[in-house]
Amino acid sequence: MRAQARALAAILWVAITSVTALLLLPDAVAGLPEAWGADLGMSASIRFGVSAAMILAGVLGVVLFRPGLRLGGGRIALFALPVALVLILVLLAIAVAAGVAIRNPVAAVPASLMGIGFAAILAQVIGEELLLRGLLQPILVDAWGKGPGVLASAGLFTLIHVAGGWDDPVSLLNITLAGIWFGLLALRTGGLLAPILAHFGYNWGEEALIGAYPNPGVGDFGAVFDFDLAGPAILGGSVDGFNASLVLSVLLALAVLPLAWPRRGEGAGA
């Protein structure tokens, strides 16, 4: 009973703090970047502000709930970042072959701006992973078991994105699959390093490497390449880009299956 109450309290903590950060902080910091003199200042302030709030909520949650936070590692963690980048490149290759991806000339971007983008993406990923896979998932696994714990944390990950404005059904499916992937990475490696690397690899690859998000256009911090996606939504041609692609659904399922397969001597419901 104590574990169940702890799980419920952790769910409420993560849901309330993350949704509050997403819904209230953008307006709260909107007036702060006037000294920067550009829209980029507002965008950066909002992104860093929301990420900082989620990181703070995660740290406070770890202190309050003591989930046994670990960094983890091992061979799976070593491959997490390359696998995420390969996933992005496979999506792009399929889109190019199908005539969906259009390469545009790339505007010169200062290295300092790319560095700010790198930091913004990393901060966002750390905030989400600390809350969902570092704080919440270990508590849910302890209360409900491995499978339900991973699925429940992935479900809350999706609901947080709904609060952030995501509503396309395929996008939400892919966010859920990604949440399961990150959760299994955390479970298999015993810590946060692998899910952070995989999550960062996908987000950075999509936004800053190939410039496919937002679609069309390029993010506020520029990109190495600039690809717009136009055509069938199942191949990434919608405003959600690859996030609404059924090709991504298949690739994420392929990433999840080896991690979900029970290891020798381990039951499927263990």
Side-chain angles (χ1 to χ4, degrees):
M1 182 63 70
R2 184 176 180 181
Q4 302 296 329
R6 184 168 173 253
L8 178 58
I11 289 172
L12 291 174
W13 175 268
V14 171
I16 292 171
T17 56
S18 57
V19 171
T20 298
L22 286 169
L23 297 183
L24 299 184
L25 267 178
D27 289 337
V29 302
L32 296 179
E34 292 179 359
W36 293 31
D39 288 341
L40 174 61
M42 179 175 294
S43 174
S45 295
I46 290 173
R47 290 186 69 166
F48 279 112
V50 171
S51 299
M54 295 182 78
I55 291 172
L56 177 61
V59 171
L60 291 176
V62 168
V63 172
L64 289 171
F65 293 97
R66 300 187 181 278
L69 183 67
R70 294 180 176 85
L71 190 60
R75 286 183 297 175
I76 294 177
L78 185 66
F79 287 103
L81 179 61
V83 167
L85 292 174
V86 167
L87 188 151
I88 285 291
L89 294 177
V90 169
L91 282 168
L92 179 60
I94 292 173
V96 169
V100 172
I102 304 165
R103 185 174 178 181
N104 301 311
V106 181
V109 178
S112 59
L113 187 60
M114 293 288 289
I116 294 172
F118 183 98
I121 295 169
L122 182 59
Q124 175 189 345
V125 166
I126 290 175
E128 292 179 0
E129 291 306 316
L130 180 59
L131 273 173
L132 273 300
R133 261 64 68 172
L135 169 61
L136 181 62
Q137 182 172 293
I139 293 173
L140 299 186
V141 167
D142 180 60
W144 302 340
K146 293 177 181 178
V150 169
L151 291 174
S153 62
L156 188 53
F157 182 60
T158 303
L159 291 176
I160 289 171
H161 281 76
V162 171
W166 293 81
D167 58 9
D168 178 81
V170 178
S171 294
L172 296 178
L173 168 65
N174 287 333
I175 290 168
T176 303
L177 288 171
I180 294 171
W181 181 32
F182 303 148
L184 288 172
L185 284 170
L187 190 67
R188 291 302 194 193
T189 62
L192 273 180
L193 179 61
I196 286 175
L197 290 174
H199 195 164
F200 174 80
Y202 181 86
N203 285 16
W204 181 85
E206 181 187 36
E207 180 177 346
L209 178 60
I210 66 172
Y213 189 83
N215 185 50
V218 177
D220 293 320
F221 307 108
V224 179
F225 301 99
D226 178 10
F227 285 92
D228 285 341
L229 306 171
I234 62 171
L235 295 176
S238 73
V239 67
D240 283 352
F242 287 135
N243 298 296
S245 166
L246 287 176
V247 177
L248 176 59
S249 305
V250 173
L251 293 176
L252 286 172
L254 291 174
V256 163
L257 284 174
L259 296 170
W261 195 266
R263 291 174 291 187
R264 183 178 301 177
E266 178 184 66

